[in-house]
Amino acid sequence: MVIPFQRVFRLCALFVTAAFIGLSPAIAAEVTAELDRESVPAGNGAILTLRVAGGRAAQPQIPEVKNLIVQPRGQNQQIQIVNGRTSISVSYQYMIGSQVPGDYEIPAIEISVGGEPLRTQPLKLKVLDAGAAQPPAGMAAQPSGTPPAEEDETGEKRFGFLTVDMADSERKHAYVGEIAPVRIRAWLPENSQAQLRSGIQPEGKAFTLHNVSNRPQQSTEIKDGKRYTVVTWYGGMSAAKAGSYPASLSVDATVAVRDTSAPRPRQRRGGPFDDPFFDSILNNMHAPMIQKDVTLKSDDQEIEVRPLPVEGRPEGFTGAVGDFKFEQVEIPNDWVAGEPQQIGARLGGSGNFALMKAPQVLPPGAWRTYPAKDQFAAGDEASFAGNKTFQFSAVPRKAGAQELSLAFSFFDPGEGIYKTVTSPVKPIQVSGADLVEIEPDPVAAVEPAKPGDQLVAQKLAPGPVRSLEPFLARPGFAILLVLAALLGGVGRILAWLRRRREDPRRAAAEAMEKATREAMENARRCAEARDVPGFFNAARLALQQRLGARWNQPPQAITSAEVGARISSESPVAAFFREADLHEYSRQSTGEILPRWRALLDEALASLTPAAKS
């Protein structure tokens, strides 16, 4: 006997799926059973779907029922990634029907999952007379003689549509700065062919789409009584402002569907069913195709975006949103006061890694730190989970035995609160002498000479004869006046220069301008090296320096969400922050620095110069 190739392929796929499921832990294992319709005419079939989740399952065995015919229709596998956790489920499908009208009960089906027997609920199927119309899936049977409803073959969704929902079904809101995991599904008619002509894009400007998986999953599902080929992506959506916005997506595609309205002769093939329902499946495979360029869209679904709370915000919070913890900390044992050494830290978890900054050194007053270098490693395909490694230099200010630790603050959107994680305290030894701030030496007071024992009018010897002309009338007096005026002017200038040098606002402005110039020089070098992430990081730091001076807050604490909340979204500053976030999420290491990026950066810096008005 020759085994058909399709059956061999299905057996191989079943074996691979079973082996893959065997690697997954049996956590909260469950089995369910459902019929796609409650009644069918005699000789027709309903689809029975058995779903197994949470563990490795043995091949289901359908109990025998008198006059009930059961035929396997294959299986499919679904994988879901929510907050870095992967869940796998397998669906088995069977065609069930009978040639004898009547009411049938499908007993509870026992399936062994991870060695534990689980049972489904019993199901009922009504088999009508052969002349009765077949009802759509999930609906009751129509009375005899009632014509079946015509399928909408000309509607907008004939060529498919999109759906988008949050991957965490328990939460229906997101926070500003959070990349909320979403599941995007394209529902294409069964036996259709599709080719995407664009990436998935948001319809509005309220949300930004991030980290869409490159390898979508494919399965077959039944929705509203119709069978679809479902292509599933996982990604994230974020918003810069609070409010309720429609989260609608679209994608351009070329879709070819079967023209089931074209007349075709029915081919009777015999067999246990031998009915028009099974014949239609085979005939549709030979139906002509209709091809069309369409835009698949999702229905508008509003998502509430909440602002980050002000109450309880830690002082060291720099904008990170997610759930993180320290995975590794590297701190040297021996230090020298005034000399820098490198500290390494790796933070892991799930959330918006693009907003993460280096942790804070504790105690903060005893250390001077420098900007950190970071590297992100994704833990899943959608980059929601992973870890970020920081390397930065620190300089101890005081000598002696000390205790050093790192602290990192973030907002946990799952619990809706701020959290601060701290690394274990490490004892260190700092040699050398404490750093002393150099201060100008005070001017020593000159004591006047003490008078002698002689009287003022007494002279031991007569002095030279002096002129009796008044001092004011002498020529040298005018010269002294001019010199005194000049010295007074010089003194005023020197006093003004000293006050200007010691003015804290001017010193802060000069430090800001110096940091801005260094950041722009670093951006220029990254542009010459075609380092896209380095260019955007350096340019963003330059804008943060200007904004920090304007808003009187640390530059590193200024996040994209705060920029979007305090500056108009049409401003070049907000536009550049959005562009920087987009390229940081894409993690593109090299590439051409586009002229429009440089022009946008120049325009943003010009709008933040001291002479510009906000």
Side-chain angles (χ1 to χ4, degrees):
M1 180 179 66
V2 179
I3 301 177
F5 174 75
Q6 292 182 349
R7 181 172 299 178
V8 175
F9 178 78
R10 290 176 181 174
L11 292 175
C12 293
L14 178 62
F15 175 78
V16 173
T17 303
F20 184 76
I21 295 175
L23 298 177
S24 302
I27 301 176
E30 63 176 357
V31 296
T32 58
E34 62 179 1
L35 290 170
D36 71 328
R37 61 196 72 226
E38 297 179 357
S39 59
V40 293
N44 285 252
I47 298 294
L48 170 65
T49 302
L50 300 179
R51 290 188 176 87
V52 181
R56 177 181 178 182
Q59 182 69 31
Q61 298 295 329
I62 309 299
E64 292 186 4
V65 179
K66 185 179 180 180
N67 296 329
L68 196 64
I69 303 173
V70 180
Q71 287 188 346
R73 301 298 297 173
Q75 67 182 61
N76 61 69
Q77 177 181 290
Q78 293 181 342
I79 302 176
Q80 291 185 348
I81 303 176
V82 179
N83 293 332
R85 299 182 61 183
T86 303
S87 60
I88 304 173
S89 63
V90 180
S91 298
Y92 303 88
Q93 294 182 339
Y94 302 85
M95 188 73 71
I96 295 185
S98 178
Q99 299 285 6
V100 181
D103 293 329
Y104 293 87
E105 181 177 283
I106 304 172
I109 303 171
E110 183 174 301
I111 304 175
S112 177
V113 181
E116 178 184 358
L118 300 177
R119 298 171 64 88
T120 66
Q121 72 278 12
L123 300 174
K124 293 184 178 181
L125 177 66
K126 186 178 185 63
V127 179
L128 308 173
D129 292 336
Q134 182 178 358
M139 297 183 63
Q142 295 176 337
S144 179
T146 303
E150 294 281 341
E151 291 188 0
D152 184 8
E153 294 293 339
T154 60
E156 295 181 357
K157 296 184 178 180
R158 179 186 181 185
F159 292 89
F161 56 94
L162 295 181
T163 59
V164 55
D165 52 359
M166 296 187 68
D168 186 357
S169 58
E170 298 180 358
R171 189 156 59 94
K172 302 299 182 183
H173 63 271
Y175 287 92
V176 172
E178 175 191 8
I179 300 181
V182 295
R183 178 178 58 183
I184 308 164
R185 291 187 287 184
W187 299 75
L188 303 171
E190 187 182 22
N191 297 326
S192 64
Q193 299 177 4
Q195 181 178 4
L196 300 183
R197 295 183 290 108
S198 72
I200 302 175
Q201 298 292 337
E203 285 286 282
K205 297 181 178 180
F207 287 98
T208 302
L209 190 62
H210 310 282
N211 306 333
V212 178
S213 52
N214 296 324
R215 293 176 294 179
Q217 305 163 13
Q218 184 170 328
S219 61
T220 301
E221 297 187 27
I222 297 174
K223 184 179 180 67
D224 298 332
K226 297 182 181 179
R227 184 180 296 275
Y228 293 90
T229 298
V230 182
V231 183
T232 305
W233 295 268
Y234 289 93
M237 298 184 71
S238 67
K241 293 184 179 181
S244 295
Y245 309 103
S248 52
L249 305 176
S250 65
V251 61
D252 296 332
T254 300
V255 183
V257 300
R258 301 285 181 182
D259 185 9
T260 57
S261 62
R264 298 178 304 280
R266 180 176 176 229
Q267 301 177 358
R268 304 291 291 187
R269 296 182 178 271
F273 281 77
D274 190 23
D275 60 81
F277 180 78
F278 289 100
D279 288 341
S280 64
I281 296 178
L282 298 175
N283 291 338
N284 286 343
M285 296 177 61
H286 303 283
M289 304 291 289
I290 301 177
Q291 180 173 306
K292 186 177 180 180
D293 292 339
V294 296
T295 298
L296 306 180
K297 296 183 178 181
S298 64
D299 297 331
D300 290 344
Q301 177 184 357
E302 284 198 351
I303 296 180
E304 178 189 1
V305 181
R306 299 179 180 179
L308 297 181
V310 177
E311 183 180 358
R313 180 181 295 185
E315 184 177 354
F317 176 71
T318 58
V321 180
D323 187 10
F324 309 100
K325 64 179 180 180
F326 281 102
E327 293 184 347
Q328 183 179 354
V329 175
E330 297 178 355
I331 301 175
N333 295 320
D334 299 323
W335 296 73
V336 178
E339 295 186 7
Q341 289 200 78
Q342 275 208 342
I343 294 178
R346 186 173 71 231
L347 287 158
S350 60
N352 192 342
F353 284 89
L355 299 180
M356 292 180 63
K357 304 301 180 183
Q360 184 183 17
V361 180
L362 300 179
W367 296 84
R368 180 191 305 160
T369 59
Y370 295 90
K373 295 182 179 180
D374 57 73
Q375 184 176 4
F376 171 69
D380 56 31
E381 187 176 359
S383 297
F384 292 121
N387 60 70
K388 199 168 188 180
T389 303
F390 297 93
Q391 294 285 342
F392 61 94
S393 297
V395 178
R397 298 176 182 271
K398 297 181 179 181
Q402 300 184 32
E403 292 183 343
L404 187 150
S405 62
L406 303 180
F408 182 76
S409 300
F410 59 91
F411 180 78
D412 188 343
E415 300 185 18
I417 58 175
Y418 291 97
K419 294 182 179 180
T420 299
V421 292
T422 307
S423 68
V425 177
K426 181 173 183 178
I428 62 172
Q429 183 66 36
V430 182
S431 59
D434 295 352
L435 293 184
V436 179
E437 300 293 338
I438 300 177
E439 297 181 358
D441 295 333
V443 179
V446 179
E447 296 183 0
K450 296 182 179 180
D453 297 333
Q454 300 177 358
L455 297 177
V456 174
Q458 292 179 342
K459 296 293 181 181
L460 296 178
V465 179
R466 299 180 180 272
S467 173
L468 298 179
E469 182 182 4
F471 182 72
L472 297 178
R474 296 178 183 179
F477 180 73
I479 299 175
L480 291 176
L481 288 179
V482 174
L483 291 177
L486 291 177
L487 291 175
V490 171
R492 287 179 175 272
I493 294 174
L494 292 177
W496 177 80
L497 290 176
R498 182 177 181 180
R499 289 194 302 270
R500 186 170 181 269
R501 183 178 66 253
E502 296 177 353
D503 185 4
R505 291 178 297 179
R506 179 180 176 276
E510 290 180 350
M512 180 271 293
E513 290 296 336
K514 180 180 179 182
T516 303
R517 289 194 302 270
E518 292 177 352
M520 290 300 296
E521 178 64 20
N522 191 15
R524 183 189 64 79
R525 291 195 297 268
C526 292
E528 293 177 354
R530 300 169 60 87
D531 181 4
V532 175
F535 170 78
F536 279 103
N537 287 337
R540 190 209 308 266
L541 180 58
L543 296 177
Q544 287 175 325
Q545 294 290 344
R546 291 280 176 89
L547 292 173
R550 174 172 295 189
W551 295 343
N552 193 24
Q553 66 181 87
Q556 300 291 348
I558 298 176
T559 64
S560 300
E562 187 170 4
V563 171
R566 300 183 65 169
I567 297 181
S568 171
S569 60
E570 304 298 330
S571 71
V573 178
F576 190 87
F577 268 80
R578 290 195 299 269
E579 191 75 25
D581 286 345
L582 176 62
H583 287 274
E584 186 166 2
Y585 300 141
S586 65
R587 304 186 304 280
Q588 180 183 358
S589 59
T590 59
E592 186 68 27
I593 306 300
L594 299 182
R596 66 182 182 85
W597 298 344
R598 300 186 182 185
L600 184 60
L601 174 59
D602 294 339
E603 186 178 355
L605 282 174
S607 67
L608 295 177
T609 54
K613 295 182 180 181
S614 57

